[in-house]
Amino acid sequence: MTGRELITDVQNTWCPGCGNFTIQHTLKKILAEMETAGRSLDDVVLVSGIGCHAKIADYLNINTFYSLHGRTIPVATGIKLANPDLTVICCCGDGDCYAEGLDHLIFAAKRNVDITVIVHNNRVYGLTTGQYTPTSPLGFRGKSTPSGTAEFPLNPLELMLASGATYIARGYTKKMDQLRALLQGGIAHRGFSFIDVLQICATFFPAADYYTPRVYDPADHDPTSFDHACVLAREWDYNSDARIPLGVLYTATFPCFGERMATKGVTAGEREEAVRQILASRI
Ligand code: SF4
């Protein structure tokens, strides 16, 4: 199918000013460009979790899979291993990916699974009206912490560097052109791509006044330097008043999980038959 409308007619229920609109619009542009370049969008799958971000599966008119909370990455991994010809994109929330799904995130990075993980990191559980997540700042006052959280936030970039991800980037929903380049780079990258997107939650964490004066592009950074990527990842700990580096922090070339699995050399028809046999054996 070509020239399709990329936005469905499903009623959009995101709040006005929500950063999810930016991510959706950015992905729409990227998909349109892929199609113009001759790539069939039938070969693209988007997997979402549970949370405000997950509604993107209803709003983008491509193959989508609404998975369980925290389980986007195992679903995406399964899809990619079953059909390596697909481009598989995961949209996760920070609660979704850094809490319930944290182990999956680490192991997918460790395995260098060839998928792209986009974390809509609004640093709050928006859908359930404002509880703190692993990246909420110390002292965050929400529905579950009226006196403020007593724990420091997780630094996901540092974690991904330690876990073996081969494309690590941070974007911001108020920097759409850069975000587009980061997502395009992640989708084009062969291996595990991770983009942490600082996403504005207009209702429960409207943090633009905090982010905008702090974000910057480290112009002289070499993304193949693991050591300097570590320095940049630690520059802002998701809690301090430090400057916040955006862009690609790290890239590396390393064999993907699928390449080291037995799927290599298997035809699409043989894969389909194998899946059919597995399903038949469970009936
Ligand atoms: Fe967006 Fe926050 Fe509203 Fe959810 S609660 S739709 S993240 S603004």
Side-chain angles (χ1 to χ4, degrees):
M1 184 190 295
T2 58
R4 70 175 76 180
E5 289 294 325
L6 284 168
I7 302 298
T8 66
D9 56 7
V10 172
Q11 183 187 5
N12 192 305
T13 57
W14 286 329
C15 310
C18 176
N20 280 315
F21 285 108
T22 307
I23 297 173
Q24 175 188 271
H25 188 66
T26 305
L27 275 173
K28 186 186 101 171
K29 280 186 157 186
I30 292 170
L31 291 164
E33 284 172 13
M34 288 168 72
E35 192 177 41
T36 302
R39 173 85 174 162
S40 170
L41 296 188
D42 291 341
D43 295 335
V44 178
V45 183
L46 184 143
V47 183
S48 75
I50 298 295
C52 292
H53 78 277
K55 299 175 187 176
I56 199 166
D58 288 331
Y59 303 154
L60 277 177
N61 184 24
I62 54 173
N63 300 310
T64 59
F65 190 108
Y66 230 125
S67 75
L68 298 174
H69 203 198
R71 305 295 177 249
T72 51
I73 290 174
V75 170
T77 299
I79 291 170
K80 184 68 185 180
L81 290 180
N83 188 347
D85 298 332
L86 297 176
T87 296
V88 183
I89 301 168
C90 278
C91 283
C92 320
D94 47 312
D96 192 51
C97 192
Y98 301 150
E100 282 85 347
L102 185 64
D103 48 350
H104 299 304
L105 176 67
I106 292 170
F107 275 84
K110 174 180 175 291
R111 292 167 178 152
N112 198 29
V113 180
D114 186 18
I115 59 176
T116 300
V117 172
I118 302 166
V119 184
H120 301 220
N121 186 1
N122 58 13
R123 308 175 68 201
V124 69
Y125 284 101
L127 191 68
T128 49
T129 70
Q131 295 79 16
Y132 81 102
T133 72
T135 48
S136 299
L138 178 69
F140 175 81
R141 292 175 189 269
K143 292 280 170 63
S144 58
T145 53
S147 303
T149 59
E151 58 188 88
F152 280 91
L154 178 79
N155 184 333
L157 297 186
E158 205 174 357
L159 181 70
M160 286 295 92
L161 282 163
S163 302
T166 51
Y167 180 97
I168 301 173
R170 180 194 278 134
Y172 174 36
T173 51
K174 295 280 184 186
K175 297 265 186 187
M176 197 196 280
D177 287 345
Q178 182 190 47
L179 181 62
R180 183 169 159 192
L182 298 178
L183 299 189
Q184 277 175 323
I187 292 167
H189 175 75
R190 192 157 173 75
F192 187 75
S193 301
F194 168 85
I195 303 109
D196 181 70
V197 183
L198 298 175
Q199 180 228 309
I200 300 302
C201 172
T203 303
F204 297 108
F205 199 171
D209 289 348
Y210 173 84
Y211 292 139
T212 299
R214 288 176 176 79
V215 294
Y216 80 102
D217 299 324
D220 56 351
H221 173 54
D222 171 7
T224 64
S225 167
F226 183 83
D227 290 346
H228 197 241
C230 290
V231 171
L232 290 179
R234 288 177 179 149
E235 183 169 354
W236 178 62
D237 63 2
Y238 288 73
N239 198 60
S240 69
D241 286 335
R243 294 197 306 166
I244 305 173
L246 299 178
V248 180
L249 267 62
Y250 184 63
T251 56
T253 303
F254 197 71
C256 304
F257 189 54
E259 291 168 10
R260 298 193 300 268
M261 296 284 286
T263 52
K264 200 174 179 185
V266 176
T267 66
E270 287 168 336
R271 281 197 302 273
E272 267 184 46
E273 182 54 31
V275 170
R276 203 169 287 121
Q277 285 181 14
I278 290 168
L279 294 174
S281 71
R282 299 203 183 278
I283 293 171

